[in-house]
Amino acid sequence: ITLIAIVLTDCWMDVDHYWHDINEWFEDGLIPYKEYGFEYPPFSLVVFLIPRLFSWDLNSFHYSYAIFCMVSYMLMSKAVLDLTKNNQTLKKVSFILLLLIPIFGMKFILTRNDIFAVTSAVLAVWCLVKNHPKIAYVLIAIGAMIKIYPVLLVLPFLVVALSKRDWKSMFECIIT
């Protein structure tokens, strides 16, 4: 399904914009936020740079970016399935949804940078459940530097730390 969607996608929407943004930095040596307007949070540059390293023109960037998005989606899917492994009903529902999302939302997944923030947020929850709060807080920070909405997880993470009376973890969450 993914390969068919990548090949058949003819409207790349924001990906063309990402190409031009990263090219100004990559080829022209311009400094984002200082020498040209860059409308995304700072870590988005890394998200755009990785597929740029594997492309030579706009068309190849489309495919490099799409592959990078799908790798991120697969990583996020693996984390969701691992989080639901103890509840068979929830795991089945999650599996079906993870199959349906690419079918109905592939164009959104392939042409936006939201999948990277979502993956970061899901991995943060996964790390918190696996008792790795410091990594979870860093993943929230990375997600917020791609898109701002992963920062909404800070409050629930603070509540978890508060319920455990883990003051150190609360402080780390706030500082990160």
Side-chain angles (χ1 to χ4, degrees), residues 1 5 14-16 20 28 33 37 47 65 70 77 79 108 116 120 124 130 140-141 143 147 151 154 161 164 167:
I1 294 171
D14 286 355
V15 178
D16 291 350
H20 294 294
D28 301 336
Y33 308 109
V47 168
Y65 188 81
M70 288 317 302
S77 298
F108 186 79
F116 304 107
S120 178
K130 298 294 179 179
I140 290 174
K147 290 279 193 170
V151 81
V154 170
K164 294 179 179 179
W167 311 115

Side-chain angles (χ1 to χ4, degrees), residues 4-150:
I4 293 169
I6 290 171
V7 170
L8 295 180
T9 298
D10 59 347
C11 178
W12 289 95
M13 296 165 33
D14 286 355
V15 178
D16 291 350
H17 182 64
Y18 303 156
W19 163 262
H20 294 294
D21 278 350
I22 200 66
N23 244 21
E24 289 184 24
W25 181 54
F26 193 75
E27 290 185 356
D28 301 336
L30 298 178
I31 299 170
Y33 308 109
K34 184 177 180 184
E35 295 177 341
Y36 74 94
F38 188 69
E39 63 187 271
Y40 299 100
F43 205 76
S44 295
L45 283 170
V46 174
V47 168
F48 304 151
L49 180 61
I50 291 171
R52 174 60 178 94
L53 294 173
F54 299 100
S55 57
W56 48 93
D57 62 5
L58 178 60
N59 198 39
S60 63
F61 182 75
H62 288 162
Y63 296 106
S64 297
Y65 188 81
I67 290 167
F68 189 42
C69 288
M70 288 317 302
V71 167
S72 181
Y73 184 79
M74 288 185 283
L75 182 62
M76 187 249 339
S77 298
K78 174 76 172 118
V80 167
L81 292 175
D82 189 54
L83 285 168
T84 60
K85 71 181 176 188
N86 294 330
N87 183 326
Q88 289 304 313
T89 304
L90 188 56
K91 186 172 185 170
K92 288 176 186 175
V93 170
S94 298
F95 184 76
I96 290 169
L97 287 174
L98 289 169
L99 287 176
L100 290 176
I101 289 170
I103 292 171
F104 295 106
M106 185 58 70
K107 190 165 290 246
F108 186 79
I109 292 171
L110 296 180
T111 61
R112 304 286 195 164
N113 68 341
D114 292 86
I115 189 62
F116 304 107
V118 170
T119 299
S120 178
V122 169
L123 289 175
V125 171
W126 182 81
C127 285
L128 191 66
V129 168
K130 298 294 179 179
N131 204 23
H132 301 289
K134 290 178 188 173
I135 297 171
Y137 306 148
V138 169
L139 286 167
I140 290 174
I142 289 171
M145 288 189 288
I146 297 170
K147 290 279 193 170
I148 197 69
Y149 55 81

